[in-house]
C-alpha cells in the first residue's frame, strides 16, 4: 500500500468505520425490534434466537475465508463486494414475507458482512503502521460500536413505533451506498506479498463446527437432547478434524501457529467471552424491558443509552491506554465492570429498581467500551503485516462466535426456564441463570486479561511472530523456486541454469 498523507489516512479510517457502523447498527436495531417481530411473525424464543444467530453464525464461519481472500486478491475489491452484498441483503430483509425468509435473508446479509469488518481492520492495520497511531485508530474504530449502541436502539425504536420493524433494515441502504462510493474513490488497493491458497476442507469443517454447535444449543430446550446429540457429535468431530488437518497445510484457513502467542490466544478467548456477554446482555435486556416492564420499543431504546454512552466514551480512552501502557489495564477494568453488571442483575432479580437498572447498564457500557481495543490491537499488532488479514479475521471470528454462543446459551437457558409459562410472569426467575453465565464471561475477561498481558506472554508473542516471519520467508522462497522450475521446464522443479 502506498504511503498516504495524514488526512488521507483519517479518511480511510472513516470509510472503514462506516462499514462497522452499518454492521453494528444492524445488530442493535434488531434487538429492539425483537418483540415486534415476535408478534408479527408469531415467533418462538428459538425463532428470535435464529434471527440473530443465523447472521452471526454465517458471519463467523466466513470471516477467515474473507480475510485470506482479501489478502490474496485485494482488500479494496473484497471490501466493495461486501458492501454490495450487505446492502442487497438488507433490502431483502425488509421485504421478508415470514420468519423463515427473514432468517434466510439475514444469512445473505452475513455473507456481505463477512467481507467488511475483518477486511476493514486489515486495511486500517496496513494504513496505520505506527503502533501508537494504530492503537488510536483502533480505539476510534471501537468507539463506532458505542455510536451504534447509542443510535441503534433510538433509531430502531423510532422506526418500529412509527413505521414498523421492517424499516430497521432501511438504515443500511444509504450508509452502504455512501461507503461504496467513497471506497471506490479514496481507498487504495492493497494485498499480501504472497498469495495464500484457499482451504475448502478447512472452510467446510469450520461451518460444520459452528453450525452443529449452535443448532444443538438453541434447539436443545425444545427438541430434547436425543434430537440434537447428532449435531453436537458433528461439531466435536469437525473440531478434531480441524486440529489434525490444518497443521498439515502450507496455507491453512486457521493458522494454529498464531495460538503459540499467549496474548493472541488470550485475545481470542477474551473476544468470545466479551461478545458472548454482549449478545446475551442485549437479548435479555430487550425482552425484559418490553415483555416484563411493558415499555414500547422507543422507551426501551432510551434505556439502552446508559450502556451506549459509556461504551462510546471509553473506547477511544482504551485505545490510548493500549498505545501508551499496553492492554492489561483496559482488560482488567473491562472484566471487573462486566462481572459487576451481570452479577447485579442476577442478585437483584425482580427487585431491580430504576437506579439499579441504570447502574447495571452503565457498568456494562464501561466494561464493553474498554474491552474492544485491546482485543483487536493484541490480535494484529504482534503478527507480521502480511498475515494481518488472517489475524484480524480470527479476532473478528471470535467476536461473532462469542455473540452467537451468548445468544444461543442464554436464550436456551431462558427458554428452558420459561417452559409453557407466560414470559411476563416467569421471565425474571428464568433469566437469573443467564445473568450468572454473563457474570462468568466477565470473570474470564478479568482472569485472562491478567494472565496474557505480562512479560512472559509478550515473550511468547515475540517468539511466535519471529517463527511466522521465518516460515513465511521459507515458504515464499520455496514457492518462487517452484515457479522458476516450472517456467524453466526442469524436472523436479529445479530452475533453469542462467546464461551469461
Amino acid at each position: 500500500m502506498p504511503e498516504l498523507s495524514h488526512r488521507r489516512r483519517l479518511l480511510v479510517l472513516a470509510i472503514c468505520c462506516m462499514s462497522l457502523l452499518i454492521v453494528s447498527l444492524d445488530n442493535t436495531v434488531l434487538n429492539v425490534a425483537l418483540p415486534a417481530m415476535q408478534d408479527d411473525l408469531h415467533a418462538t424464543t428459538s425463532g428470535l434466537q435464529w434471527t440473530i444467530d443465523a447472521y452471526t453464525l454465517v458471519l463467523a464461519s466466513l470471516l477467515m475465508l474473507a480475510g485470506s481472500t482479501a489478502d490474496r486478491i485485494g482488500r479494496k475489491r473484497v471490501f466493495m463486494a461486501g458492501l454490495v452484498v450487505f446492502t442487497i441483503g438488507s433490502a431483502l430483509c425488509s421485504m421478508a414475507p415470514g420468519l423463515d425468509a427473514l432468517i434466510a435473508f439475514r444469512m445473505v446479509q452475513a455473507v456481505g458482512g463477512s467481507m467488511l469488518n475483518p477486511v476493514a481492520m486489515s486495511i486500517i492495520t496496513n494504513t496505520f503502521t505506527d503502533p501508537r497511531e494504530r492503537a488510536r485508530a483502533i480505539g476510534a474504530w471501537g468507539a463506532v460500536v458505542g455510536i451504534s449502541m447509542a443510535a441503534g436502539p433510538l433509531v430502531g425504536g423510532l422506526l418500529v413505533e412509527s413505521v414498523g420493524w421492517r424499516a430497521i433494515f432501511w438504515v443500511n441502504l444509504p450508509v452502504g451506498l455512501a461507503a461504496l462510493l467513497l471506497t471506490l474513490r479514496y481507498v487504495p488497493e492493497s494485498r499480501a506479498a504472497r498469495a495464500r491458497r484457499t482451504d475448502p476442507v478447512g472452510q467446510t469443517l469450520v461451518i460444520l463446527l459452528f453450525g452443529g454447535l449452535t443448532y444443538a444449543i438453541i434447539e436443545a430446550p425444545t427438541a430434547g437432547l436425543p434430537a440434537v446429540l447428532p449435531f453436537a457429535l458433528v461439531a466435536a468431530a469437525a473440531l478434531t478434524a480441524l486440529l489434525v488437518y490444518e497443521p498439515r497445510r502450507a496455507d491453512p484457513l486457521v493458522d494454529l501457529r498464531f495460538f503459540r502467542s499467549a496474548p493472541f490466544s488470550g485475545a481470542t478467548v477474551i473476544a468470545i467471552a466479551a461478545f458472548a456477554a454482549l449478545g446475551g446482555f442485549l437479548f435479555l435486556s430487550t425482552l425484559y424491558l418490553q415483555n416484563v416492564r411493558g415499555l414500547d420499543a422507543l422507551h426501551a431504546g432510551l434505556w439502552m443509552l446508559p450502556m451506549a454512552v459509556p461504551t462510546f466514551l471509553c473506547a477511544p480512552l482504551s485505545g490510548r491506554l493500549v498505545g501508551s501502557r499496553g492492554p492489561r489495564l483496559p482488560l482488567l477494568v473491562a472484566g471487573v465492570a462486566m462481572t459487576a453488571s451481570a452479577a447485579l442483575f442476577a442478585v437483584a432479580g425482580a427487585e431491580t429498581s430504576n437506579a439499579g437498572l441504570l447502574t447495571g447498564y452503565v457498568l456494562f457500557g464501561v466494561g464493553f467500551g474498554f474491552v474492544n481495543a485491546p482485543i483487536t490491537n493484541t490480535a494484529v499488532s504482534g503478527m507480521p503485516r502480511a498475515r494481518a488479514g488472517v489475524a484480524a479475521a480470527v479476532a473478528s471470528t471470535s467476536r461473532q462466535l462469542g455473540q452467537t454462543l451468548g445468544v444461543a446459551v442464554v436464550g436456551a437457558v431462558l427458554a428452558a426456564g420459561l417452559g409453557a409459562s407466560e414470559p411476563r410472569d416467569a421471565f425474571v426467575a428464568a433469566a437469573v441463570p443467564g445473568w450468572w453465565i454473563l457474570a462468568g464471561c466477565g470473570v474470564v475477561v478479568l482472569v485472562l486479561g491478567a494472565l496474557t498481558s505480562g512479560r512472559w506472554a509478550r515473550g511468547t508473542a515475540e517468539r511466535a511472530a519471529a517463527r511466522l516471519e521465518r516460515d513465511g520467508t521459507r515458504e515464499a522462497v520455496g514457492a518462487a523456486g517452484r515457479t522458476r522450475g516450472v517456467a524453466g521446464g526442469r524436472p523436479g522443479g529445479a530452475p533453469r541454469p542462467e546464461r551469461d
Side-chain angles (χ1 to χ4, degrees):
M1 179 181 288
E3 186 66 29
L4 304 178
S5 66
H6 179 69
R7 180 176 297 179
R8 182 75 174 272
R9 291 198 300 272
L10 292 179
L11 181 59
V12 170
L13 174 63
I15 295 169
C16 290
C17 285
M18 291 176 71
S19 73
L20 177 63
L21 179 64
I22 57 175
V23 172
S24 301
L25 268 177
D26 193 72
N27 284 330
T28 54
V29 169
L30 181 68
N31 272 280
V32 173
L34 286 178
M37 289 180 176
Q38 188 174 29
D39 292 340
D40 188 35
L41 302 177
H42 309 290
T44 62
T45 299
S46 64
L48 294 180
Q49 288 173 268
W50 280 117
T51 60
I52 298 173
D53 276 358
Y55 176 86
T56 55
L57 179 61
V58 172
L59 201 64
S61 299
L62 299 180
L63 281 170
M64 287 181 286
L65 174 64
S68 60
T69 301
D71 282 348
R72 182 173 65 254
I73 70 173
R75 299 177 180 113
K76 177 180 179 179
R77 183 179 302 176
V78 173
F79 186 68
M80 292 178 64
L83 288 169
V84 170
V85 175
F86 187 87
T87 304
I88 292 173
S90 299
L92 292 174
C93 286
S94 70
M95 298 182 288
L99 181 64
D100 292 340
L102 176 62
I103 291 172
F105 294 148
R106 289 279 290 162
M107 296 171 74
V108 174
Q109 263 191 312
V111 173
S114 69
M115 294 181 268
L116 294 180
N117 288 0
V119 180
M121 180 51 60
S122 183
I123 292 172
I124 290 173
T125 303
N126 283 271
T127 300
F128 294 89
T129 55
D130 177 74
R132 290 178 180 269
E133 194 176 38
R134 181 194 297 140
R136 288 193 292 268
I138 292 173
W141 166 271
V144 174
V145 178
I147 295 174
S148 70
M149 290 178 69
L154 292 177
V155 172
L158 284 170
L159 291 175
V160 170
E161 290 300 313
S162 60
V163 182
W165 66 263
R166 297 178 185 276
I168 65 174
F169 296 103
W170 299 345
V171 178
N172 299 330
L173 306 184
V175 180
L177 181 60
L180 179 64
L181 296 176
L182 289 171
T183 301
L184 182 65
R185 174 68 178 85
Y186 293 108
V187 176
E189 184 61 280
S190 65
R191 56 177 57 86
R194 187 180 71 87
R196 294 171 59 82
R197 292 174 292 180
T198 57
D199 182 6
V201 174
Q203 183 61 60
T204 302
L205 291 173
V206 167
I207 292 173
L208 291 174
L209 169 60
F210 293 171
L213 180 62
T214 305
Y215 184 89
I217 294 172
I218 290 179
E219 298 298 330
T222 54
L225 183 60
V228 301
L229 184 59
F231 294 92
L233 293 176
V234 166
L239 175 61
T240 303
L242 271 172
L243 295 177
V244 172
Y245 175 76
E246 290 297 281
R248 300 171 183 268
R249 282 187 55 85
D251 289 325
L253 178 71
V254 185
D255 197 333
L256 299 180
R257 292 174 295 182
F258 287 176
F259 294 95
R260 292 172 178 159
S261 164
F264 183 88
S265 299
T268 302
V269 179
I270 288 169
I272 293 173
F275 278 77
L278 174 66
F281 193 94
L282 292 175
F283 189 79
L284 289 178
S285 294
T286 298
L287 296 179
Y288 171 75
L289 291 171
Q290 296 189 51
N291 290 346
V292 178
R293 290 209 164 196
L295 301 179
D296 58 32
L298 176 58
H299 286 88
L302 287 170
W303 264 108
M304 296 290 182
L305 278 177
M307 177 177 63
V309 172
T311 299
F312 172 70
L313 295 176
C314 292
L317 173 60
S318 177
R320 288 194 292 271
L321 284 173
V322 171
S324 61
R325 300 184 58 179
R328 171 169 284 190
L329 180 59
L331 289 174
L332 295 182
V333 172
V336 170
M338 295 172 78
T339 303
S341 171
L344 174 63
F345 289 122
V347 172
E351 304 302 322
T352 306
S353 62
N354 286 344
L357 201 63
L358 178 65
T359 302
Y361 284 169
V362 169
L363 282 173
F364 193 88
V366 170
F368 192 73
F370 271 97
V371 81
N372 215 14
I375 290 172
T376 304
N377 193 71
T378 302
V380 301
S381 62
M383 297 297 159
R385 287 178 62 188
R387 308 293 179 97
V390 180
V394 172
S396 296
T397 299
S398 303
R399 290 184 175 86
Q400 298 304 325
L401 177 60
Q403 194 160 352
T404 302
L405 294 178
V407 174
V409 172
V410 169
V413 170
L414 179 65
L418 288 174
S421 305
E422 285 293 324
R424 186 182 299 272
D425 300 328
F427 181 92
V428 173
V432 169
W435 290 118
W436 281 120
I437 290 171
L438 302 185
C441 291
V443 172
V444 170
V445 173
L446 175 63
V447 173
L448 287 183
L451 291 178
T452 62
S453 57
R455 182 179 301 176
W456 164 80
R458 289 193 296 271
T460 66
E462 292 169 359
R463 290 191 292 273
R467 180 163 183 170
L468 283 168
E469 287 278 15
R470 290 195 303 270
D471 291 349
T473 302
R474 190 180 303 116
E475 291 164 6
V477 171
R482 288 191 297 273
T483 302
R484 289 195 300 269
V486 170
R490 301 287 295 173
R496 183 192 299 273
E498 295 183 2
R499 295 180 180 178
D500 294 335

